[in-house]
Amino acid sequence: MFAEINTFLNDLIWGNILIYLLPALGIFFTISSRFVQFRYFFKMFNILRDTVHDKDGHISSFQALMLSVAGRVGGGNIAGVAVAITLGGAGAVFWMWVIALVGMATSFFECSLAQLYKEKDGLDSCVYRGGPAYYATKGLKQRWLGVIISVLLIITFGFAFNATQSFIISTSFEASFNLPTWISGLIITAVFGITIFGGVKRIAKMSEVIVPIMALSYLLIALVVIVLNINEIPALISMIVTEAFNPSSAIGGGIGAVILQGAKRGMFSNEAGLGSAPNVAAVAYVAHPVQQGIVQSFSVFIDTIILCSCTAFIILLSGVYTPGQEGVQGVLLTQNALIEHIGPFGGYFVTIALFLFGFSSMIYNYYLAENSLNFFSKGNVTVFNIFRIVCILLVIWGSFQDLGSIFAFADLSMGLLAILNMIVIALLYKPVLQLIKGYERQIKEGKTPVLRYNDYVEYNFDKETWKEIVDNINDKRRKK
């Protein structure tokens, strides 16, 4: 009965509410901001290059971006895209792109809000905390809403998703290398424990190392496949666009299924609007909230437009995919496709990639839960250490337990989180528009933008936090 109720609610939330709510609000944010995700796309590179990284140990914009990408990029980029293509055909890739481009605006809004309403960490004065719980509490003055959001984040990411990721990684190593799950489970747990007991700075530094290696390696293997099949690329692009509007007769459900699968893959993969990424965006040490909004919207682009497309091209350029084929999907389809391109090494590469993607997601998931715990505990060391031990024990337990039912429940809690977050940012869209205007005004004046915090006092954010940041940044600029 529990499973049936859970399935019914998941279908209702993801298949009948979020499938329409996320794109609709994404389009609204895109239009109201005058396509901010495209206007400032290339400015992102300048922001990352010029980000102030204080010698006292503040977390940089680049580190926050890498931590965000660590979470957005996961097993879904390998297995999820394969499922979308299996069920929705090549045309699903087109709608995956569309939902990502629209989702970039949503990510910009929620991450700019996270920056505006952030506050200092109770344990480390160089670290900041923020996210949906914080901007719901301060922006809307509804602490009860912040409490619900924090609880959902802890249950979903800190407990359920991490235990399940541990199971996926350990079983994939057993299948590929005959390594017992208890051995891989202990290795994963040891590295995970060392990372999380180092706090958010060590988590950010670990992401700064793992994510570029992971993303660039996967991109490189996809480029090898593309080069080997370069003459087929124009026809492939044409097929993706054509089947987005006129799908193959082998695809059950017609164009509706194509759009649904592409949109679902985009939403699950890039997490724009789901309320997770803003928790990471808040930690970055930047001069203006809009800066990190621009950077975080780029993480959606990296996840879906680049890395999900890599998987799609690997599959569609191989001979192993047949429209409407049943039985072979997920990781197996991606592995078979890569083996077809580059031989047996392809299968092992997918397993290693799955490990890197999965582990980076685990440390990201833990940070989301830790950030939510901080909303209650405000830097209580004992509470944090007990919580870390619980998370580590769940990772060990998950390495040899099939937690499919728990994962399904986590999907439900994440769906509820997404609905709450989208409602909150829809109600708080005006502060973001004012931030954009202020940012653009300073650019027109020929100045390097900083948050003029006295211009936004009606929005109930922590003025002292921003005063300290802006004063410190201005002092450093004057010394240069």
Side-chain angles (χ1 to χ4, degrees):
M1 183 181 292
F2 173 79
E4 289 177 358
I5 293 172
N6 193 68
T7 301
F8 169 76
L9 291 175
N10 260 319
D11 290 344
L12 176 65
I13 289 173
W14 288 102
N16 295 284
I17 298 176
L18 288 175
I19 193 69
Y20 302 111
L21 182 63
L22 285 167
L25 285 178
I27 292 169
F28 170 73
F29 295 141
T30 297
I31 295 172
S32 64
S33 66
R34 295 178 292 119
F35 299 86
V36 67
Q37 71 268 44
F38 305 125
R39 289 191 293 118
Y40 285 126
F41 183 82
F42 292 103
K43 186 174 285 292
M44 179 274 309
F45 298 100
N46 294 329
I47 292 170
L48 289 176
R49 186 189 65 222
D50 299 334
T51 291
V52 178
H53 191 177
D54 191 85
K55 66 180 180 181
D56 294 328
H58 292 113
I59 295 173
S60 72
S61 185
F62 177 75
Q63 287 177 315
L65 171 66
M66 290 300 100
L67 181 53
S68 178
V69 172
R72 296 186 196 271
V73 175
N77 293 74
I78 296 175
V81 175
V83 172
I85 292 174
T86 301
L87 300 178
V93 178
F94 175 85
W95 296 109
M96 180 183 71
W97 291 337
V98 170
I99 208 75
L101 294 174
V102 171
M104 288 172 69
T106 304
S107 185
F108 173 89
F109 270 70
E110 62 180 350
C111 293
S112 295
L113 283 171
Q115 270 286 323
L116 178 65
Y117 288 104
K118 69 184 179 183
E119 60 183 44
K120 275 191 172 184
D121 178 41
L123 293 173
D124 190 335
S125 61
C126 291
V127 173
Y128 301 95
R129 301 282 186 175
Y134 294 80
Y135 54 70
T137 298
K138 295 181 179 179
L140 295 182
K141 299 179 182 178
Q142 302 292 333
R143 180 169 172 78
W144 65 269
L145 191 54
V147 169
I148 292 174
I149 289 171
S150 294
V151 170
L152 288 173
L153 276 162
I154 290 171
I155 292 173
T156 305
F157 292 95
F159 297 155
F161 281 177
N162 264 2
T164 307
Q165 284 283 3
S166 177
F167 176 79
I168 292 171
I169 294 170
S170 59
T171 51
S172 69
F173 266 80
E174 183 180 45
S176 296
F177 303 108
N178 292 319
L179 185 69
T181 56
W182 69 268
I183 294 179
S184 55
L186 286 176
I187 294 171
I188 294 164
T189 304
V191 180
F192 176 74
I194 291 169
T195 302
I196 66 173
F197 267 98
V200 64
K201 290 182 182 178
R202 186 176 294 170
I203 291 171
K205 287 179 180 178
M206 181 70 82
S207 298
E208 192 177 22
V209 173
I210 291 178
V211 173
I213 294 173
M214 157 183 99
L216 291 175
S217 298
Y218 200 62
L219 179 60
L220 180 62
I221 206 80
L223 288 175
V224 169
V225 171
I226 290 170
V227 170
L228 292 173
N229 299 272
I230 192 67
N231 294 329
E232 298 177 39
I233 298 301
L236 175 61
I237 300 295
S238 176
M239 179 182 71
I240 289 173
V241 175
T242 300
E243 294 214 3
F245 300 94
N246 185 27
S248 166
S249 59
I251 301 300
I255 189 171
V258 176
I259 296 174
L260 181 65
Q261 290 302 321
K264 277 177 124 179
R265 178 66 261 134
M267 289 188 300
F268 271 108
S269 180
N270 61 55
E271 297 187 13
L274 300 192
S276 50
N279 295 273
V280 176
V283 306
Y285 188 70
V286 292
H288 197 288
V290 165
Q291 289 180 311
Q292 199 60 23
I294 294 168
V295 170
Q296 294 300 136
S297 71
F298 184 65
S299 68
V300 175
F301 185 90
I302 293 172
D303 171 85
T304 307
I305 304 299
I306 297 179
L307 293 177
C308 282
S309 297
C310 286
T311 300
F313 280 28
I314 288 170
I315 293 170
L316 294 174
L317 286 170
S318 74
V320 302
Y321 166 69
T322 302
Q325 181 183 22
E326 297 289 338
V328 180
Q329 59 183 35
V331 174
L332 183 59
L333 178 58
T334 307
Q335 281 184 321
N336 290 345
L338 202 50
I339 290 170
E340 183 74 15
H341 289 296
I342 61 175
F345 170 75
Y348 298 119
F349 178 85
V350 169
T351 300
I352 298 299
L354 194 63
F355 165 73
L356 291 174
F357 284 18
F359 183 76
S360 67
S361 291
M362 286 173 65
I363 58 176
Y364 166 85
N365 291 342
Y366 169 78
Y367 173 74
L368 297 183
E370 181 190 275
N371 189 59
S372 300
L373 184 65
N374 186 76
F375 182 78
F376 301 108
S377 65
K378 300 297 180 185
N380 187 308
V381 177
T382 303
V383 171
F384 271 79
N385 286 336
I386 292 172
F387 179 71
R388 287 164 180 158
I389 291 170
V390 171
C391 289
I392 289 170
L393 291 175
L394 283 171
V395 168
I396 296 175
W397 180 59
S399 66
F400 55 85
Q401 293 286 334
D402 186 352
L403 303 173
S405 59
I406 294 178
F407 190 81
F409 176 73
D411 275 346
L412 174 60
S413 61
M414 185 169 69
L416 294 171
L417 172 66
I419 291 174
L420 292 176
N421 182 59
M422 291 300 286
I423 292 172
V424 172
I425 58 177
L427 293 172
L428 292 174
Y429 81 97
K430 287 185 178 179
V432 181
L433 296 183
Q434 291 301 314
L435 288 171
I436 294 172
K437 288 179 181 177
Y439 184 81
E440 293 175 343
R441 189 183 307 120
Q442 292 183 65
I443 291 177
K444 289 178 182 177
E445 293 170 356
K447 298 177 180 178
T448 303
V450 296
L451 182 67
R452 293 173 176 171
Y453 43 84
N454 287 324
D455 293 346
Y456 308 98
V457 289
E458 72 270 25
Y459 295 130
N460 196 40
F461 63 96
D462 190 345
K463 179 181 173 181
E464 290 305 312
T465 293
W466 274 103
K467 183 179 185 302
E468 182 180 316
I469 293 171
V470 171
D471 289 349
N472 190 26
I473 288 173
N474 284 334
D475 286 343
K476 290 181 181 295
R477 287 176 179 172
R478 280 193 292 268
K479 290 177 182 178
K480 287 183 179 180

